[in-house]
Amino acid sequence: MASSVMPTPRRGGGPQPPAAVSTIGLRKSYGDKTVLDGIDLRIPAGSVFALLGPNGAGKTTTVQILSTLLTADGGQAQVAGHDVATQPDGVRAAIGVTGQFAALDDLLTAEENLLLMADLLRLGRREGRSRTRELLQRFDIADVAHKRAATFSGGMRRRLDLAMTLVGDPQVIFLDEPTTGLDPRSRRTMWDTVRSLVAGGTTVFLTTQYLEEADQLADRIAVLDGGRIVAEGTADELKAQIPGSHVRLRFTDPAEYERAAAAFPGAARDDENLALRVAGDAGLDALRALLDRLDAAGIRAADFSVHTPDLDDVFLALTGHGSTETGTSTPLHVKETLR
């Protein structure tokens, strides 16, 4: 396999930022079951990339191949300029991996866990202790540095786990569903941590089942289903692919509601709540035209709201029920808050 960075065309013809992670035609099967069926990715350095998909879509398999824990059956992959197949040591020296479950030694204190990682990475004694002190402060766990990890809450365990990932100062960090099981406050603390890492130049490859997480953090998002990338782009680009923009008009007077229903015969009715769902472009011009139409007919709505597709809609539209790597399937988590 060639070890040069794999090129990808760029719109507009200008130079591309260097790729921190790139794959061409990545394939992986287990027996007669194809998990990855030709994955092409290019992730610029210093960005957050989110890989979405139902359980079993191949997200964890992708991370395991890129982090040299699994061997691909075909295709090419490079991480931090190193070929995953032919230069695995170079890849391992450049990355950090945080899996779905915190990899801590519960019998050790927070400080001892970090020092153990420094020893495993063969940092010198002075450098290891300096790095440990820095990370304890950075992740706001210095006050519990001498407490055993077994006593930590889920959020604290996650922070310590990520701190251990950063002991070696990696260029690329793989976060495989890092906030699963965390409460909303701990999840947002983790998001702030990810943002600070990227601000410092680190590249983050994130897999998640929380759509709000991808929307909040990712510069680009890819949707994986059936072993293939079915869509890729920014959150706004993905949302723009999905129809479903509408204005919801709500009324308090049943007579006004019926007059509005007659004025908009194509609108979906919600008789229980006296509300109409008027499909169409949710832009300002379309909204102004709709309100002018109500005004011309002398119809007064109690209130209105504009709805545009979100990542939930993208996921549901682009993915099938799918099969899983483990033989079971679970739905994607809905967002914690509705916008």
Side-chain angles (χ1 to χ4, degrees), residues 1 105 142 219 239 286:
M1 255 184 267
D105 189 325
D219 298 297
K239 295 172 191 175

Side-chain angles (χ1 to χ4, degrees), residues 93 113-135 163-170:
N113 269 284
L114 289 168
L115 289 172
L116 174 61
M117 182 59 68
D119 287 342
L120 292 173
L121 292 173
R122 298 182 180 178
L123 301 184
R125 181 179 178 85
R126 178 177 297 178
E127 183 181 0
R129 289 194 173 278
S130 174
R131 189 72 173 145
T132 293
R133 286 193 299 271
E134 174 193 341
L135 291 169
M164 291 176 66
T165 301
L166 296 178
V167 169
D169 196 20

Side-chain angles (χ1 to χ4, degrees), residues 20 42-49 198 201-205 217-220:
R42 187 184 189 283
I43 304 171
S47 67
V48 180
F49 175 85
V198 175
T202 305
T203 304
V204 175
F205 186 113
L217 293 177
D219 298 297
R220 292 187 67 80

Side-chain angles (χ1 to χ4, degrees), residues 13 112 287:
E112 289 167 344
L287 179 60

Side-chain angles (χ1 to χ4, degrees), residues 19 23 33 48 68 138 182 203 244 248 251 279 286 292 326 333 336:
T23 72
K33 176 175 176 50
V48 180
T68 74
R138 181 175 184 178
L182 295 186
T203 304
R248 186 177 186 271
F251 302 84
D292 288 345
T326 59
H333 293 288
E336 297 168 301

